[in-house]
Amino acid sequence: MAQLQEATIKEVKVQSPRATMYMGMLKRFLQNKLAVVAGFFIVLLIGSALFAPAVAPYDPGAQDYTKIMNSPSAEHWMGTDEIGRDIFSRVIFGARVSLQAGLISVAIALGVGIPVGLIAGYYRGFLDEIIMRITDALLSFPSLVLALALAAVLGAGLENAMIAIGIVLTPNFIRLVRAEVLAHREREYVEAAKASGLRDWRVILVHIFPNTLAPMMVQATLAIASAIISEASLSYLGLGTQPPTPSWGAMLSAGQGYLADAPWIAIAPGIFIFLTVISINLFGDGVRDMLDPKLK
Amino acid sequence: MVSFILRRLGLMVVILFIVSVIIFSLVNVLPGDPALLKLGQEASPEAVEKLRIEMGLNDPLYVQYFNWISNVIQGDLGRSYIDNTAVTEILKQKIPVTLQLTVISFFVAILIALPAGIISASRKGTLWDYSSTLFALSGVSIPPFFLGILLIFIFSIGLGWFPPSGYTPFWQDPMRSLMLMILPAITVGIRLSAELTRMLRSSLLEVLQSEYIRTGYAKGLREKGVIFKHALRNAMIPVITVSGLQVGSFLGGAVITETIFAVPGLGQLVVNSILTRDFPVVQGAVMFMAFAVVFINFTVDMLYSVLDPRIKLSGGAK
Amino acid sequence: MSSKDQLAVKNLHVGFQNKKSFTKIIDGINFSVKKGETLCIVGESGCGKSLTSLSIMGLLPKTGKVSEGEILFDGQDLTGLNEKQMSKIRGNEISMIFQEPMTSLNPVHKIGWQISESIVLHQKLSKKQAEEKAIDMLKLVGIPSPDKRIHQYPHELSGGMRQRVMIAMALSCNPKLLIADEPTTALDVTIQAQILELMNKLKTELHMSIIMITHDLGVVSEIADKVLVMYAGKVVEYSDVKTLFANPQHPYTQGLIESIPKLNEEQDELPIIKGSVPSPDEMPKGCRFSTRCPYATNACFNEVPPMISGEAGHQVHCWKYTECWEIVEKEGLIDAGMRETAAASQLIGS
C-alpha cells in the first residue's frame, strides 16, 4: 500500500512537465499547416460518415430511372450513376465502409502485432527466430495478392476483407514492436526493473510497451491509409464489400465501363479515396514530426 | 564474403519453405471441393469420392503437402482444374507479359524519380522541391486502379493517344505492344517512383551534409560533379535497400493494373484463378510471385555489398 | 599589399543571413600570407577561424555571406568571382584539407580515383597519367607501396594514412596556397607530429604558402612563421611566431600561452581563462574580450580598442598598450583627444 502511494505521488509530480511537453507537441503539430488542413478534412469525413443519413441528400440505394447518368448539377452534386442513384450520397455512405475498413483492419493488425512483437523481442531465442521467419515469409507475398487469397479463403464481404487486410498488415507491426523492444530491453531502467524482481509481463507492459507507442502511432496512421486502398482494391476486384452497400472501390469498378459517357461515376469516388488517403498520409507525417522533430 | 552469401542463402531456403507451407495451407482451406470442381456440379457423389481418393485429397494434410512440394521441386506444379493445362505451361505464357510490364514500369519509375529526387534535394526549399514533394505524396496516395482509370479517361478516351486496354506480344507488333504498355506501365511505375523520389530526396539531403562532399567542392568540382560523382552513389545505398523491400507492393500494383488494362499477365491470372477457384493455378502463380520477391530481395542484398565497399569487409571478417 | 603577398585579406566581414537578420560572425579582419610562408590562425572554437578559411575557398554554407572586404589572391579579389571561376581555383591553386580524415574521403571510391579526380579536372591529363601522378603523390606524402594503396578504399586505411591521402589529394595540382583546418586534431599525438613534419617538409620542397587553422599552440610552435590570434570574430594579435611566444601582448594571447602545460616548471594548477565567449547578440560594444579580461575597465567595455603596431609588423588590439592607458584605467572614460593619442601609439619593447 505504501508503495502504491509512493507511485501515485511520483505520477503527480511528473504531470506538469508532461503537460508542457504535450503543449509543445501540439504547437509543433499546428505549425504544420498541411497536416492541420488534412486533419480537418479527416474530421469532416468522419463526421459525414457517422451522420451519413442526415448528410446525404438522397437514399444511396434509391434508383431513379428518369435520371440515368445525369452529369453533376445543383440537384445531384456529383451526378447520378447508371441506374439513377445519387453519387454524392453514395460517396458519403461509401466513406463509412472505407473508414471502417481502415480502422478495423489496423486494429486487428495492432491486436496481433503488438503482443507477438513484444514476446518475440523480449524473449528472443528460438521463438523469436520462428516468429521472424514467418513474418519474413508473409512479407514475401505481394501484399495485395495475399489479401486477395485470404479474402477468397474467407469469402467475399467487408468483414472478411478487413480480417484479410489486418493479417497482411500484421507482420509490419510485429517487426516494428520487436525492433523497439530490442532497442529498449538492454537499457538501465529495464534491467533495474528486472533486477527488482518484477514479473516478465509487468516489465513488458509497464516498462517496455510505453516506449513503443510513439513510432507505432505513426506507423498505424500510415497503415490506415494503405488499408483503405487495399479494401477499395478488393472491392474493385469484387472480393470486398458486396452490393448493394455502396463502397468506393466497387463504385469505381462499376463506373469504369461508363468512362466515355459518364466519367463522374468512376471519378467522384476515386477522388474521395485519393483525398482521404493523402490526408491521412499528411496527418501521419504531421504526427511523426510532432513526436520527434528529428525524424523529419 | 562467402560465408555471408551462404548464410543469406540458408535464410532464403527457410523463408521459401515457410512461403510454400503458407500457400499450401491457404489453398487447402479455400472453400469448394476440387474434385467436385473438376467433375462439374452434376457428377455423382461416388465419382467425386473416387476422384478424391485418386487426387490424394483424403490423405492427411502433411502427406498432401509432401507430395505437392516434391512435385514442385521437380518442376511439376499440377494442372489447371478448368482446362487441364499444365500450370507451368500457363506460367510460361504469362510471366513474359508481366516481366515486360514490370521492366517498363521500373524504367518509368527511375526516369521520374532520379531527376525529381536530385532536383528536390539540391534545390531544397524551392518551388521545384515543393512540387516534387507534392508529386511524391500524391504518388503514394493515389490507388493504382484510380490512377489507371484516370489515365484511360484522359489519354485514351479524351486525347485518343493510346488504346485503352489489351495486349499484343512485342514480337508481333512492337509499336502497338509498346503503345498498349505505356499506360499500365505508368500506373505501376508512378507509385514506385513516388517512393523512390521521397527516399532519394531524404537520403541525398543527408549525404550532401557529409564532409566528403565539402572535399569534393574543395577539389574544384562544380555542383553537378559533386552530386553525380560523390553524392549519388552514397545516397543510392539506402534507397536500393528500401526499394528492394518495395518489390512486393510493385508486383501487387501489377496485379490490379493488369486487371484494369486487360493485360494477360500473372496478376490477371491470379485474380481470375482465385475467382474461379482454380487452386493449382493460384498455388503456382502466387508461389512464383513470392519466390520472385525473395530472390530479388536476396539480389538487392548482394548489390548492396557491391555498392558499399565497407560491407564486404565486415562480412568477410566474420 | 606587397608584391610578395600570396594572399591578402582586407577588412573581411562574414556572417549568416537568415530570413530577416544578418548575424555577423567575422568583423573586419586583416592579414596577409607571403609566398612560402606559413600563417597560423589561432583561437577557440567559434571564433571564426574556420569561417575565415571557408570564405577564402568560397565554400561558405548557403546562408553564409561575405558582406564586406576583399580577399586578394595573387592580386585578384576572390570575393568578386563567380562559382565557375572559383571552381577553377579550388583544388588547383588553393587547396584545403580538413579536420576529419575519417569522413572527408568518400567511402565508396578508391583512393587512387579520388586523388586522380582533381588531377584530371585541373591538369587535363588522361586517366592513366593521372593515376601515375596519384602514385607519385602518395609516395611524396610517405605512403608505403602506393601502387597497391591506390586500389584501396578509405576504410582500409588508418587515420594518419587517410590524412596523408588528403594531403596528397590537396597537393596534387601544386597549389600556391594550402589551407589546413585543424588537420591534426583528430589524430593521435605521434601521428600528429609526423603529419606536421610532413607539412613542413613539403612546404619547403614545393614552395607554397600555408594557412593553418588550429586551437593548439603546440602546433603553432612547430609550423608557423606568423600567427594571427582571433577572438570572437576579431583579430586580437598578429605577429611572427618568435615574438608571439617570447613577448605576447594581448591578455587573451597571454592567457592562451600560460595555459600550455610546461614540463620544466612545477605547476599545481594550469591557469585558465575564466568565462566563455559571449554569443553574437550579447557581444560587448567595446573590446570583445573585455568580459573575460583581468585588466578590463569601463572604457574597454564601451570603446573598440585601436590597433597598435610594433616592430616587425607586430600588431595588437588592446587599450592596455595605448599611451593614455593610465588615464583610461583611472577614469574609465575616453574622449576624442585620447582616441587620437591612442591610435598613434606605438607598441614598445616588442
Side-chain angles (χ1 to χ4, degrees):
Chain A
M1 193 62 202
Q3 265 181 350
L4 202 85
Q5 268 173 357
E6 221 178 87
T8 346
I9 291 165
K10 269 184 200 156
E11 286 290 79
V12 174
K13 270 186 188 161
V14 288
Q15 201 128 55
S16 73
R18 206 175 259 187
T20 51
M21 186 179 90
Y22 288 143
M23 282 310 291
M25 275 164 43
L26 191 66
K27 230 177 172 178
R28 270 211 298 282
F29 185 81
L30 291 176
Q31 274 168 3
N32 187 339
K33 293 195 188 71
L34 274 177
V36 173
V37 173
F40 186 72
F41 178 79
I42 295 168
V43 169
L44 201 70
L45 195 73
I46 292 176
S48 324
L50 282 178
F51 304 106
V55 177
Y58 298 88
D59 175 348
Q63 307 171 2
D64 184 344
Y65 288 100
T66 61
K67 288 177 181 164
I68 284 175
M69 299 203 280
N70 282 7
S71 56
S73 62
E75 209 178 332
H76 296 280
W77 294 358
M78 296 178 188
T80 57
D81 69 4
E82 72 279 7
I83 45 176
R85 292 175 295 194
D86 178 53
I87 292 178
F88 177 65
S89 304
R90 292 179 64 74
V91 163
I92 293 297
F93 274 88
R96 288 184 154 187
V97 168
S98 281
L99 292 173
Q100 209 182 345
L103 291 172
I104 295 178
S105 323
V106 172
I108 293 172
L110 285 171
V112 182
I114 292 173
V116 175
L118 284 174
I119 290 168
Y122 188 78
Y123 290 105
R124 307 294 314 273
F126 190 62
L127 186 66
D128 177 36
E129 192 67 26
I130 291 179
I131 292 173
M132 287 324 288
R133 292 299 80 79
I134 293 176
T135 58
D136 281 347
L138 284 173
L139 288 170
S140 304
F141 292 96
S143 53
L144 186 64
V145 173
L146 188 59
L148 213 63
L150 284 168
V153 169
L154 299 166
L158 176 59
E159 274 162 44
N160 290 337
M162 292 190 293
I163 295 173
I165 296 165
I167 295 175
V168 171
L169 289 173
T170 302
N172 296 314
F173 286 102
I174 296 180
R175 278 199 168 180
L176 178 78
V177 174
R178 176 181 174 273
E180 287 297 317
V181 174
L182 288 185
H184 286 284
R185 71 194 294 271
E186 307 298 338
R187 301 263 173 94
E188 289 82 359
Y189 58 85
V190 174
E191 292 291 329
K194 271 196 266 184
S196 67
L198 281 183
R199 290 216 194 99
D200 283 351
W201 63 267
R202 264 202 82 92
V203 175
I204 295 179
L205 283 185
V206 177
H207 293 277
I208 295 182
F209 177 63
N211 290 302
T212 64
L213 281 176
M216 208 138 56
M217 266 173 74
V218 177
Q219 175 101 354
T221 317
L222 301 177
I224 291 176
S226 83
I228 289 177
I229 291 191
S230 298
E231 187 280 326
S233 304
L234 290 182
S235 296
Y236 175 85
L237 294 173
L239 282 165
T241 314
Q242 298 298 306
T245 312
S247 78
W248 292 346
M251 288 171 76
L252 253 164
S253 162
Q256 193 181 350
Y258 306 97
L259 263 186
D261 306 317
W264 53 86
I265 302 180
I267 289 174
I271 287 176
F272 265 77
I273 304 178
F274 175 60
L275 285 180
T276 307
V277 171
I278 204 170
S279 299
I280 296 173
N281 281 334
L282 278 170
F283 186 78
D285 284 354
V287 171
R288 181 194 57 199
D289 297 345
M290 171 181 86
L291 293 174
D292 186 358
K294 277 172 292 174
L295 279 177
K296 208 170 185 176
Chain B
M1 188 65 191
V2 174
S3 73
F4 173 69
I5 295 180
L6 283 178
R7 216 157 8 112
R8 200 59 191 70
L9 273 173
L11 200 65
M12 192 163 101
V13 171
V14 174
I15 293 174
L16 289 180
F17 167 72
I18 302 176
V19 164
S20 71
V21 172
I22 294 174
I23 291 174
F24 178 79
S25 20
L26 261 183
V27 165
N28 278 277
V29 287
L30 268 178
D33 185 342
L36 189 65
L37 263 175
K38 212 169 175 180
L39 292 174
Q41 292 296 329
E42 289 94 48
S44 68
E46 294 78 30
V48 172
E49 187 55 29
K50 201 174 150 235
L51 187 66
R52 280 187 66 88
I53 295 169
E54 232 171 76
M55 289 168 76
L57 290 171
N58 288 347
D59 293 339
L61 274 181
Y62 68 90
V63 176
Q64 288 190 42
Y65 172 78
F66 182 78
N67 290 336
W68 174 67
I69 198 72
S70 47
N71 284 336
V72 168
I73 290 169
Q74 289 162 33
D76 176 10
L77 291 169
R79 286 176 175 277
S80 160
Y81 290 165
I82 306 291
D83 56 7
N84 212 31
T85 350
V87 174
T88 42
E89 278 308 309
I90 302 178
L91 289 184
K92 259 185 219 160
Q93 283 173 18
K94 305 289 184 181
I95 288 168
V97 179
T98 299
L99 196 67
Q100 189 190 352
L101 173 63
T102 43
V103 168
I104 300 177
S105 314
F106 190 71
F107 277 113
V108 170
I110 298 281
L111 225 59
I112 299 173
L114 267 184
I118 291 171
I119 291 173
S120 160
S122 59
R123 303 271 176 273
K124 192 186 170 209
T126 62
L127 197 64
W128 287 101
D129 182 23
Y130 293 133
S131 350
S132 90
T133 309
L134 186 70
F135 159 76
L137 189 71
S138 314
V140 293
S141 302
I142 195 163
F145 50 90
F146 179 47
L147 179 62
I149 286 173
L150 266 187
L151 290 176
I152 293 179
F153 178 62
I154 297 170
F155 293 104
S156 305
I157 297 174
L159 299 168
W161 291 357
F162 305 102
S165 66
Y167 174 76
T168 306
F170 188 73
W171 53 89
Q172 267 182 22
D173 184 350
M175 198 53 209
R176 182 166 169 79
S177 176
L178 277 180
M179 291 297 272
L180 278 165
M181 271 294 173
I182 283 179
L183 293 184
I186 292 175
T187 308
V188 181
I190 285 281
R191 193 190 171 83
L192 184 68
S193 82
E195 299 266 7
L196 288 179
T197 304
R198 242 181 171 182
M199 283 187 282
L200 184 59
R201 177 180 181 272
S202 66
S203 174
L204 253 182
L205 280 178
E206 201 183 317
V207 167
L208 286 173
Q209 302 291 317
S210 312
E211 295 182 25
Y212 56 81
I213 294 304
R214 196 176 54 181
T215 308
Y217 282 112
K219 274 179 179 177
L221 288 171
R222 306 285 303 277
E223 190 187 23
K224 216 165 117 196
V226 169
I227 287 178
F228 284 98
K229 288 183 178 171
H230 290 273
L232 203 53
R233 188 156 156 200
N234 284 284
M236 284 309 277
I237 294 170
V239 174
I240 286 183
T241 325
V242 184
S243 61
L245 299 173
Q246 299 286 326
V247 176
S249 76
F250 194 55
L251 274 176
V255 169
I256 200 148
T257 306
E258 287 179 358
T259 312
I260 302 167
F261 289 94
V263 177
L266 269 184
Q268 203 194 37
L269 180 72
V270 168
V271 174
N272 288 341
S273 51
I274 283 180
L275 292 176
T276 57
R277 311 203 176 286
D278 194 348
F279 301 166
V281 180
V282 175
Q283 269 179 341
V286 175
M287 187 91 161
F288 176 81
M289 283 186 168
F291 273 40
V293 172
V294 173
F295 183 73
I296 290 168
N297 282 340
F298 174 75
T299 318
V300 166
D301 263 17
M302 295 295 115
L303 193 64
Y304 185 69
S305 68
V306 172
L307 272 177
D308 189 346
R310 284 164 298 186
I311 300 298
K312 256 181 220 157
L313 197 77
S314 57
K318 276 193 179 173
Chain C
M1 143 177 192
S2 109
S3 61
K4 278 195 293 179
D5 280 349
Q6 184 62 63
L7 182 85
V9 169
K10 292 184 174 172
N11 191 30
L12 184 69
H13 290 71
V14 185
F16 290 104
Q17 179 78 55
N18 62 19
K19 273 181 207 139
K20 284 171 198 144
S21 62
F22 183 76
T23 313
K24 198 183 277 180
I25 306 290
I26 294 175
D27 193 2
I29 61 170
N30 292 284
F31 63 87
S32 63
V33 190
K34 291 196 174 58
K35 291 200 163 85
E37 190 179 61
T38 301
L39 170 79
C40 277
I41 303 182
V42 188
E44 286 165 272
S45 45
C47 71
K49 54 191 197 301
S50 288
L51 214 55
T52 309
S53 63
L54 292 176
S55 312
I56 300 170
M57 289 295 282
L59 288 180
L60 288 173
K62 274 197 181 127
T63 52
K65 216 178 96 192
V66 172
S67 55
E68 209 183 319
E70 293 181 317
I71 299 171
L72 299 172
F73 178 74
D74 272 340
Q76 183 186 25
D77 185 6
L78 299 183
T79 60
L81 297 187
N82 62 26
E83 182 55 28
K84 193 177 171 190
Q85 294 164 317
M86 208 51 221
S87 70
K88 287 194 176 130
I89 293 176
R90 271 185 225 133
N92 188 18
E93 294 185 78
I94 308 179
S95 281
M96 185 159 182
I97 54 179
F98 299 96
Q99 183 171 352
E100 289 289 339
M102 299 297 179
T103 48
S104 295
L105 288 165
N106 192 331
V108 302
H109 290 299
K110 293 176 178 166
I111 63 166
W113 184 91
Q114 297 195 47
I115 299 174
S116 19
E117 188 181 24
S118 50
I119 302 173
V120 174
L121 191 69
H122 295 295
Q123 306 199 328
K124 311 284 173 250
L125 295 183
S126 71
K127 281 212 166 131
K128 186 90 197 117
Q129 290 166 311
E131 195 178 289
E132 277 162 25
K133 178 103 199 265
I135 296 177
D136 289 343
M137 290 314 297
L138 287 176
K139 218 179 281 171
L140 184 72
V141 297
I143 288 185
S145 48
D147 48 327
K148 289 197 190 96
R149 294 286 180 180
I150 58 164
H151 299 298
Q152 288 186 319
Y153 289 98
H155 70 268
E156 297 172 85
L157 302 176
S158 67
M161 281 294 168
R162 280 188 234 185
Q163 198 57 293
R164 282 172 195 261
V165 171
M166 282 299 292
I167 295 174
M169 211 156 85
L171 300 186
S172 59
C173 296
N174 307 320
K176 295 175 182 164
L177 173 66
L178 174 69
I179 302 174
D181 188 354
E182 307 243 10
T184 59
T185 308
L187 303 174
D188 290 344
V189 184
T190 46
I191 312 289
Q192 273 189 23
Q194 289 174 13
I195 296 287
L196 290 178
E197 196 182 319
L198 173 71
M199 290 183 68
N200 265 333
K201 187 190 102 178
L202 293 175
K203 179 181 77 169
T204 22
E205 272 176 33
L206 306 173
H207 199 69
M208 62 183 173
S209 311
I210 296 180
I211 293 178
M212 169 81 104
I213 314 280
T214 182
H215 65 272
D216 181 351
L217 285 174
V219 171
V220 175
S221 66
E222 294 275 336
I223 200 164
D225 297 316
K226 264 165 63 186
V227 186
L228 183 77
V229 183
M230 283 181 74
Y231 183 83
K234 279 199 174 256
V235 173
V236 296
E237 190 160 0
Y238 182 41
S239 145
D240 66 78
V241 68
K242 279 198 195 110
T243 316
L244 189 90
F245 280 100
N247 194 7
Q249 297 292 317
H250 197 280
Y252 178 62
T253 321
Q254 289 169 352
L256 282 182
I257 292 176
E258 271 167 28
S259 62
I260 310 172
K262 295 173 187 67
L263 286 175
N264 49 1
E265 282 170 40
E266 272 198 29
Q267 281 169 305
D268 290 337
E269 220 177 291
L270 277 176
I272 52 158
I273 306 172
K274 293 203 174 68
S276 58
V277 186
S279 66
D281 47 303
E282 55 187 26
M283 205 55 86
K285 253 188 5 208
C287 172
R288 298 190 165 188
F289 187 60
S290 56
T291 54
R292 300 168 75 186
C293 181
Y295 309 105
T297 69
N298 247 344
C300 296
F301 286 109
N302 293 316
E303 192 97 2
V304 177
M307 182 190 90
I308 306 179
S309 334
E311 287 161 33
H314 192 170
Q315 294 173 357
V316 62
H317 295 249
C318 182
W319 283 108
K320 193 163 170 269
Y321 301 98
T322 55
E323 276 162 21
C324 49
W325 171 247
E326 274 178 30
I327 316 169
V328 170
E329 209 178 7
K330 218 183 283 167
E331 310 270 323
L333 276 171
I334 288 161
D335 58 32
M338 285 159 72
R339 272 183 211 122
E340 252 170 60
T341 333
S345 303
Q346 288 288 315
L347 204 55
I348 306 160
S350 67

